[in-house]
Amino acid sequence: MILHTLIDYDILRLIWWSLIGVLLLAFAITDGFDLGTGILLPFVAKTDIERRVVINSVGPVWEGNQVWLILGGGAIFAAWPQLYAVAFSGFYLAMFAILVGLILRPVAFKFRSKREEPEWRARWDWVLFFCGFVPTLIFGVALGNVLQGVPFRLSSDMHIFYDGSFFGLLNPFAVLCGLVSVAMLVMHGAAWLQLKTEGAIAERTRFLGSVAALATFVLYAFAGVLLWAYIDGYRITSVINPIGPSNPLLKTVDGHVGAWFVNYAAQPWTLAAPALGLLGAIGAWLGLRMRREIFTILSSAVSVSGIILSVGASMFPFILPSSIDPRASLTVWDSSSSHLTLFIMLVVTAVFIPIIEAYTTWVYHVLWGKVDEQAIRDESGHAY
């Protein structure tokens, strides 16, 4: 018996759909507070030493946190090649803007304190703000477009045609989702800064973080209402073959308003995801107001997780619906790599993900504690 047949093809597809979600969650929770901290930097730190405290709160960990984004991109490329092809070609300019932010961020970290001129450092501080705000906004805008359907189609030989434009992505609902993303990660960044700083920085952080937590609750709830009442969702109307070939054109799909909420009615336990998104935001708000540091960061992480999981729960089994040819929509069952490829990747993942998790846990354990202003002054040759 061939080894990879020990796990059925449909189970492997489900596992990899789940693993992509896990990688995205890991990125949002860890690198999310990095991005949120960058957005907050110009507003919670008024002096140069305060800004250095904020930067050094994430300086030792941000590079490791980005590993989850790299793993997620690589996993999509290998496990869901059609998704990778459509997303990275259709969202090309948006992806380029994200990459500009992610490329400039390490430059800003390294060069900001190389010179002592206030103007020099202030410019790099705003670069860090840009590198936090722009990727965060675009991630949300992209997700909003995915929920509405992306304007692509497939030819009979699986050739991909994208009929949209960059500015077409900036529709009202997608921009609203972008604002949800910004508010969510500002809340998460504030939870992190409350954990890692003290004094005036922490006080300013609590105020702005409280506003962001309430904004997350309101904007996310409003986006949910719009999605239920006005936005077309998609449902497969033909027989589903979980072990069928990776050919999206073999199915039929219907689109109608409210279709994204069918899964919640069929599987009520999935309502836990949006509930956690809302309750976590309220918990983060309470934690910031009550100065409960651990409770706040955990509540914020729960909110981030719930908001992201609610998208996966509502869309399943769709991964990337098409707004102009619903039949071409990519789903869990018809857009994956081969059975053997998914199995080999699963074996590799089972080996390396625990190693990465163990190392990450050890790093956070070693770096646990507050970032002290005096320590920054004393370690001027080593701190950012």
Side-chain angles (χ1 to χ4, degrees):
M1 179 181 291
I2 300 176
L3 187 60
H4 73 273
T5 59
L6 294 175
I7 304 179
D8 293 337
Y9 197 13
D10 55 336
I11 300 300
L12 280 172
R13 282 170 160 170
L14 275 177
I15 289 173
W16 273 103
W17 176 79
S18 302
L19 283 175
I20 294 297
V22 169
L23 293 175
L24 292 178
L25 280 178
F27 169 70
I29 292 173
T30 58
D31 206 44
F33 66 69
D34 293 350
L35 297 171
T37 297
I39 298 172
L40 285 168
L41 173 63
F43 309 106
V44 300
K46 301 302 182 182
T47 66
D48 180 66
I49 191 63
E50 286 182 348
R51 295 189 184 101
R52 292 187 67 196
V53 167
V54 171
I55 292 170
N56 278 274
S57 73
V58 297
V61 297
W62 71 267
E63 288 179 292
N65 293 340
Q66 282 197 168
V67 167
W68 299 110
L69 177 63
I70 297 169
L71 289 175
I76 291 174
F77 173 76
W80 310 98
Q82 290 175 321
L83 171 63
Y84 185 92
V86 175
F88 281 75
S89 59
F91 297 160
Y92 182 81
L93 290 178
M95 293 292 182
F96 180 78
I98 290 173
L99 287 176
V100 168
L102 296 180
I103 290 170
L104 283 177
R105 185 161 62 155
V107 177
F109 276 122
K110 299 299 182 183
F111 281 88
R112 189 235 180 232
S113 295
K114 295 298 183 182
R115 294 169 59 179
E116 296 185 0
E117 291 87 344
E119 295 81 6
W120 168 269
R121 294 187 171 187
R123 282 194 292 270
W124 286 116
D125 291 340
W126 283 106
V127 170
L128 286 171
F129 167 82
F130 170 87
C131 295
F133 179 80
V134 170
T136 300
L137 179 68
I138 294 178
F139 282 135
V141 168
L143 196 58
N145 279 279
V146 169
L147 284 167
Q148 295 175 93
V150 177
F152 74 93
R153 51 193 171 86
L154 300 175
S155 65
S156 58
D157 60 354
M158 295 296 103
H159 188 70
I160 298 167
F161 296 91
Y162 181 79
D163 296 334
S165 66
F166 174 77
F167 292 104
L169 300 176
L170 302 177
N171 56 79
F173 181 76
V175 172
L176 173 61
C177 291
L179 294 177
V180 172
S181 178
V182 171
M184 177 181 74
L185 294 194
V186 168
M187 170 189 70
H188 200 41
W192 174 257
L193 284 178
Q194 180 183 237
L195 181 69
K196 297 294 289 184
T197 65
E198 52 192 359
I201 299 173
E203 288 301 320
R204 300 184 194 110
T205 293
R206 291 185 186 104
F207 171 74
L208 293 176
S210 299
V211 173
L214 292 178
T216 300
F217 182 94
V218 172
L219 292 173
Y220 176 58
F222 183 50
V225 171
L226 291 181
L227 190 66
W228 172 71
Y230 298 103
I231 305 298
D232 282 349
Y234 300 87
R235 291 292 102 187
I236 298 175
T237 56
S238 58
V239 176
I240 298 174
N241 183 7
I243 59 173
S246 291
N247 183 350
L249 300 178
L250 298 179
K251 65 181 180 299
T252 57
V253 176
D254 177 40
H256 58 87
V257 173
W260 286 144
F261 286 76
V262 171
N263 283 346
Y264 294 122
Q267 303 289 338
W269 62 271
T270 58
L271 288 168
L276 289 175
L278 294 170
L279 293 175
I282 294 300
W285 178 80
L286 288 172
L288 287 163
R289 305 304 296 173
M290 298 169 60
R291 294 173 168 79
R292 299 287 297 275
E293 297 172 357
I294 301 298
F295 178 78
T296 302
I297 193 71
L298 291 177
S299 296
S300 179
V302 165
S303 181
V304 172
S305 300
I307 290 172
I308 295 175
L309 288 173
S310 67
V311 176
S314 62
M315 289 183 60
F316 183 83
F318 287 86
I319 300 176
L320 189 66
S322 170
S323 59
I324 59 175
D325 183 11
R327 186 180 57 141
S329 299
L330 308 181
T331 75
V332 172
W333 313 121
D334 59 24
S335 58
S336 72
S337 293
S338 68
H339 193 171
L340 179 59
T341 299
L342 295 183
F343 179 79
I344 293 173
M345 289 176 55
L346 182 62
V347 173
V348 173
T349 301
V351 173
F352 286 101
I353 290 296
I355 296 174
I356 295 172
E357 290 179 345
Y359 175 75
T360 301
T361 302
W362 176 77
V363 168
Y364 279 96
H365 173 72
V366 170
L367 297 173
W368 187 259
K370 302 283 187 180
V371 179
D372 181 70
E373 290 187 11
Q374 188 58 47
I376 297 296
R377 293 188 180 96
D378 295 341
E379 298 292 333
S380 58
H382 302 283
Y384 286 104

